[in-house]
Amino acid sequence: MALSISAVVLLAIIVFLLIKKSGLKAMHAVICVLFGFFLAGSSMAPTISDLTSSVANMVGGLKF
C-alpha cells in the first residue's frame, strides 16, 4: 500500500517535533517559515522545485 503525504504536512510535523522535543524556539521556526516564503518568490524557486521533485521521484522509485 502506497502512502502519499504532502511535503508541507511532513515538514510541519518535523517542525512541531523539533519544537517539542529538541528545544527549537517558536521564533526560530517563524523565521524559517518566512525564509521559505520569500525563497519561494525568488528566481531560485523553479530550481528548488525541480530538485525536490527529482528527490521525491528517486525515493518513490526505490524497491524494498
Side-chain angles (χ1 to χ4, degrees), residues 7-59:
V8 174
V9 173
L10 180 64
L11 291 173
I13 292 169
I14 291 171
V15 168
F16 176 77
L17 291 174
L18 286 172
I19 289 172
K20 287 296 193 183
K21 303 289 183 188
S22 297
L24 178 69
K25 305 240 183 307
M27 186 53 122
H28 296 152
V30 169
I31 290 170
C32 289
V33 167
L34 289 173
F35 176 69
F37 178 78
F38 288 114
L39 187 62
S42 73
S43 62
M44 290 178 54
T47 305
I48 294 169
S49 180
D50 291 343
L51 176 67
T52 54
S53 294
S54 296
V55 170
N57 288 335
M58 182 181 67
V59 169

